[in-house]
Amino acid sequence: MDLSLIIMQLFSGIALGAVLVITALGLTIVFGMLGVVNFAHGALFMIGAYAGLYLASLTGSFWWGLLLAPLLVGAFGMLIEFVLVRRLYGRSIDDPLLLTFGLSYILVEGVRIVFGSDGIPFPTPSQLIGVVDLGVGFFPKYRLFVIALVAVVLVALWLTLEKTRVGLIVRAGARDPQIMRVLGVDIGKVWLAIFGLGVGLAALGGVLAGPMRSVNPEMGTLVLAEAFVVTVIGGLGSIVGAVIAGLMVGICISMVALFAPEMATIVMFALMAAVLLVRPQGLFGLKGRA
Amino acid sequence: MARRDTKLRRTGVSRRTALMGMSAGLASLAMPRLGRAADDTIRIGFPTPLTGPFAAEARDQVKCAELAVKLVNDKGGIGGRKVELLVRDDKLNAGEAATRTLELIEKDKVHAIVGALSSAVQLAVNEVTRARGVIYVSISQSDTINEVKDFSKYTFHEALNPHMTTAAVARQTLKKGMKVAHLVADYAYGHEMLRGFKRAQATIGAESVGEILHPFGAPDYSTFMPRLMSLRPDVLCISNFGRDQANAIKQAVDFGIKQQMKIVVPVILHNQRLAVGPDVFEGVVGGANYYWGLETQNKTAAEFNAAFRAANGGAIPTDYGAYGYSGVGSLLQAMQAAGGTDTDKVIAALEALKYDLTKGPQQYRKCDHQSVQSVLVLESKKKSAMANDNDLFTIVASDAGTEDLLRSCSELGHAT
């Protein structure tokens, strides 16, 4: 097995991991801060892809779709929080889980009714068609772009959470919402924004995945499972965990694809089982949290 | 607690008794009508994966099966009896399909089953139908269903099989000395296609340089691409189905694979070509049972297209749709000839039937009930060469249907 092939696999793995990171991040943030397991996350990923496609064809530019779809779907997420999820805070964890589970069915069926159950082509933006010579082999430009964009989003997110006043409120709100209320912070608004952010990230994942896969109503189903695996490996609620675990899963799938391709899907579940045996709370999870 | 339990149980029993009494009364009222309906209508069960990665193809199957039923009913049915199609979602799951099929037979009292789309699922349906002695016309690709192990006198196979398709595609695309790599879905369909291609390669003298099995239903194929490119083949055969085909070809093209090698698929899918667009599929060659563009050279195809257009607002029928039409259509013709639904008479009629429903003459071979039919080889057109949105493929070859395309009866284990 020559080295250049292994380096190429590494790149494929990181590109695969990048989309996993973005989707898992939304899931883990919403769980970590709100204690809500969002089962509609995969469906919202799919909505993101359709919204991106629709907006791109409306404006004639992929870039507008990429920018607007996460914002619009994020706003839709805030509406979901405001109208539905909000009523279930403080109840057992099953209630919002069941709510979002039902919601995912409605969203998938809704898209089937509006856009049909066939796949729809999502063309790669013309600037990113083609391959780049990495010295060890050719790699699609678009996948490199995805890696770069995800890195930028991660840095921006980290800076906001760690270095700004808003980030401080969010982190404190996750720790102890009651004290925050006493201190005069409208925690309801914070939760609204967090849910919107989580959904927006799912939508961003969907738009980014669009040009790599066929866009269809069921495209979110497997993504939800993958995102769960990543959050569980990384530790439920942990942002760093989601990033590390996402890349780990991507690279793992890619390496296994090289040596035992038919095992490429199973491997992430095996990895999850192995991590849970050693650290039941996940790599970066807090004990007793999950 | 104990007292509450007794109380609950007591009310439970009394309610159940009341319900039993009521339903018995209702049943006796409804029975005469139900009974008469059961005698009149000919019911065809139609399990197909309406949800999941083959949903687009399944929906076309249903549309065309409904058209076949409608055309017969418009002409007064079969011996004055109306035909009814009972469509069920098998969810692309063998267990689900077996349950739905059993339900169709036991509860809905269907006279025959047509359908299934996945090679693994059709075998599950076949298990049930042959155990119950109900005719099953399969419209999904499979080689094993022809073999003596899975065959029964109730089993008919209207679809092409991997042996026929891969041989036809290989004849058009492979040459002596060529290097061939395979990307294969890791389940029955993929394995059978791979076997077919390798057999054809051996005849032609082309060499396999590598085989990669991928998990069924995988959304990402990028991790297989560097390996496939490093094998440096002349031809890449991608043997998978439905959305897997669209995703695999799309990602292969992203990696620039088409600049290095030709992409060949056993079955090129109309709906998947629509799902990813002309640029991605440009130059991809694959086999097909049907393509609407056949209408310029085939009268039956023109008639079938016209009937479908009339029933579906001008839309055109697709490849797997045509299976739904010919599968149900051939069965109904046999019932017509047999003068009813008597299973043995219909089997005899199917074996004797010469039918021409979509693309020219077809008939079920006696030993394995495989439909002898023509195989098309299509090449996806580039965007600038398309006359309209439906002008997807060029017909590269149309091999006339003869028994030479099939494996011999003795090879399959049938008495000759």
Side-chain angles (χ1 to χ4, degrees):
Chain A
M1 191 81 22
D2 67 90
L3 189 67
S4 61
L5 192 55
I6 292 182
I7 296 172
M8 283 298 287
Q9 280 316 115
L10 205 63
F11 264 98
S12 308
I14 293 171
L16 197 60
V19 176
L20 285 177
V21 168
I22 280 293
T23 38
L25 210 56
L27 197 66
T28 210
I29 286 176
V30 168
F31 180 80
M33 314 269 177
L34 273 56
V36 171
V37 180
N38 185 5
F39 253 82
H41 202 70
L44 290 160
F45 171 94
M46 177 274 297
I47 297 279
Y50 274 90
L53 184 58
Y54 181 72
L55 291 165
S57 63
L58 208 64
T59 57
S61 157
F62 169 78
W63 306 106
W64 281 113
L66 183 65
L67 180 73
L68 294 177
L71 293 177
L72 281 178
V73 180
F76 176 60
M78 287 161 93
L79 188 73
I80 294 173
E81 198 272 355
F82 191 73
V83 178
L84 298 168
V85 180
R86 172 160 299 196
R87 276 144 236 287
L88 303 177
Y89 290 145
R91 294 223 228 166
S92 97
I93 195 164
D94 309 341
D95 290 18
L97 191 150
L98 287 172
L99 172 83
T100 50
F101 188 67
L103 192 64
S104 73
Y105 273 95
I106 295 173
L107 292 175
V108 171
E109 279 306 323
V111 168
R112 276 203 195 118
I113 292 166
V114 178
F115 293 95
S117 53
D118 295 352
I120 302 182
F122 195 145
T124 312
S126 55
Q127 300 89 332
L128 296 173
I129 290 177
V131 288
V132 178
D133 190 353
L134 295 176
V136 288
F138 296 99
F139 201 76
K141 275 186 206 164
Y142 183 77
R143 282 181 193 254
L144 287 179
F145 162 76
V146 169
I147 298 176
L149 186 84
V150 169
V152 169
V153 170
L154 286 180
V155 170
L157 200 66
W158 181 77
L159 286 177
T160 317
L161 283 177
E162 295 293 326
K163 304 285 170 194
T164 65
R165 198 182 136 70
V166 179
L168 189 68
I169 293 173
V170 167
R171 280 181 293 137
R175 225 24 98 68
D176 196 334
Q178 202 127 35
I179 293 284
M180 292 307 287
R181 250 193 223 114
V182 173
L183 289 172
V185 175
D186 186 352
I187 200 76
K189 270 190 191 146
V190 176
W191 285 342
L192 183 71
I194 291 295
F195 199 87
L197 174 69
V199 171
L201 285 171
L204 178 62
V207 189
L208 285 177
M212 298 193 277
R213 302 170 186 181
S214 79
V215 174
N216 59 67
E218 288 96 17
M219 69 187 290
T221 321
L222 200 66
V223 169
L224 178 68
E226 288 171 347
F228 262 111
V229 170
V230 170
T231 37
V232 169
I233 292 176
L236 279 166
S238 164
I239 293 177
V240 183
V243 175
I244 303 282
L247 290 175
M248 213 166 96
V249 168
I251 293 170
C252 235
I253 291 177
S254 187
M255 288 304 162
V256 167
L258 193 56
F259 300 105
E262 57 270 54
M263 300 293 161
T265 306
I266 301 287
V267 63
M268 66 176 173
F269 298 103
L271 188 66
M272 177 172 80
V275 168
L276 287 182
L277 281 176
V278 185
R279 272 182 76 86
Q281 71 273 37
L283 294 177
F284 294 86
L286 299 171
K287 254 207 174 109
R289 182 71 206 244
Chain B
M1 274 308 273
R3 240 179 59 210
R4 230 178 101 212
D5 277 354
T6 3
K7 199 172 151 204
L8 263 179
R9 204 176 298 134
R10 209 172 53 228
T11 34
V13 167
S14 71
R15 192 194 300 139
R16 195 179 303 153
T17 323
L19 275 173
M20 269 166 66
M22 268 164 65
S23 50
L26 276 173
S28 64
L29 277 173
M31 261 327 230
R33 272 190 57 213
L34 274 176
R36 209 172 57 232
D39 285 337
D40 268 336
T41 322
I42 295 176
R43 286 175 304 278
I44 314 284
F46 199 82
T48 191
L50 289 169
T51 50
F54 303 170
E57 285 80 14
R59 215 200 37 216
D60 285 340
Q61 283 188 333
V62 172
K63 273 191 201 160
C64 287
E66 279 169 347
L67 176 64
V69 168
K70 182 181 170 291
L71 292 181
V72 167
N73 281 338
D74 286 352
K75 284 187 188 149
I78 290 171
R81 294 165 72 182
K82 285 277 170 218
V83 182
E84 191 189 349
L85 191 74
L86 287 85
V87 179
R88 298 288 181 270
D89 186 4
D90 70 30
K91 299 184 180 157
L92 205 61
N93 173 305
E96 181 83 18
T99 313
R100 292 284 89 82
T101 305
L102 201 58
E103 233 170 57
L104 282 166
I105 295 171
E106 298 286 316
K107 211 173 113 246
D108 299 308
K109 309 272 182 230
V110 294
H111 298 95
I113 302 273
V114 182
L117 221 171
S118 153
S119 48
V121 172
Q122 77 177 329
L123 294 176
V125 173
N126 187 44
E127 281 295 311
V128 176
T129 49
R130 73 173 180 175
R132 304 272 153 170
V134 174
I135 293 173
Y136 171 43
V137 182
S138 166
I139 51 172
S140 148
Q141 289 235 7
S142 171
D143 272 330
T144 47
I145 204 162
N146 294 139
E147 289 162 13
V148 82
K149 180 171 65 70
D150 280 285
F151 178 77
S152 76
K153 68 170 183 174
Y154 308 103
T155 309
F156 289 81
H157 193 239
E158 212 296 315
L160 294 170
N161 61 38
H163 175 79
M164 299 162 81
T165 26
T166 52
V169 172
R171 267 198 296 280
Q172 300 303 326
T173 53
L174 302 184
K175 287 190 188 73
K176 196 173 164 56
M178 271 187 169
K179 288 190 280 184
V180 185
H182 294 276
L183 179 63
V184 179
D186 191 12
Y187 74 113
Y189 176 90
H191 297 168
E192 289 186 11
M193 289 298 181
L194 176 62
R195 194 177 63 177
F197 270 129
K198 284 166 83 172
R199 186 171 162 147
Q201 275 171 228
T203 322
I204 293 166
E207 170 204 359
S208 267
V209 290
E211 292 156 20
I212 294 182
L213 296 179
H214 75 73
F216 167 61
D220 198 280
Y221 296 83
S222 64
T223 54
F224 308 122
M225 295 308 159
R227 178 82 201 281
L228 286 169
M229 292 178 92
S230 75
L231 295 170
R232 306 204 167 276
D234 302 303
V235 173
L236 170 63
C237 294
I238 301 180
S239 297
N240 55 17
F241 193 85
R243 279 172 196 154
D244 289 4
Q245 178 175 84
N247 282 328
I249 295 179
K250 182 167 192 176
Q251 290 165 28
V253 170
D254 285 346
F255 272 80
I257 278 210
K258 274 205 302 206
Q259 277 82 359
Q260 279 190 22
M261 59 196 93
K262 185 153 190 75
I263 297 180
V264 161
V265 295
V267 176
I268 193 163
L269 292 165
H270 190 112
N271 285 314
Q272 301 311 325
R273 154 60 190 79
L274 289 177
V276 288
D279 298 334
V280 172
F281 262 57
E282 182 186 331
V284 175
V285 174
N289 59 310
Y290 186 75
Y291 172 57
W292 74 276
L294 203 58
E295 67 181 9
T296 53
Q297 42 183 286
N298 185 297
K299 196 171 133 277
T300 319
E303 286 166 10
F304 170 48
N305 287 346
F308 189 87
R309 283 191 179 111
N312 293 286
I316 46 140
T318 64
D319 37 22
Y320 270 69
Y323 280 143
Y325 185 78
S326 51
V328 172
S330 62
L331 176 71
L332 294 179
Q333 282 191 3
M335 284 178 169
Q336 198 86 264
T341 53
D342 179 83
T343 302
D344 286 324
K345 282 185 191 161
V346 177
I347 290 173
L350 275 166
E351 284 177 347
L353 188 70
K354 301 229 186 302
Y355 60 104
D356 181 1
L357 288 161
T358 60
K359 57 175 178 176
Q362 287 181 244
Q363 68 185 93
Y364 291 104
R365 181 164 74 168
K366 184 133 187 4
C367 76
D368 64 348
H369 292 172
Q370 168 62 41
S371 175
V372 180
Q373 59 185 300
S374 63
V375 186
L376 304 180
V377 179
L378 309 174
E379 176 163 8
S380 197
K381 285 187 176 180
K382 71 165 134 188
K383 202 173 182 180
S384 57
M386 289 168 58
N388 57 57
D389 281 352
N390 287 324
D391 184 18
L392 309 182
F393 306 121
T394 312
I395 300 175
V396 178
S398 171
D399 295 354
T402 68
E403 263 201 59
D404 302 342
L405 299 177
L406 275 52
R407 290 179 293 170
S408 71
C409 293
S410 56
E411 191 194 334
L412 298 170
H414 297 285
T416 45

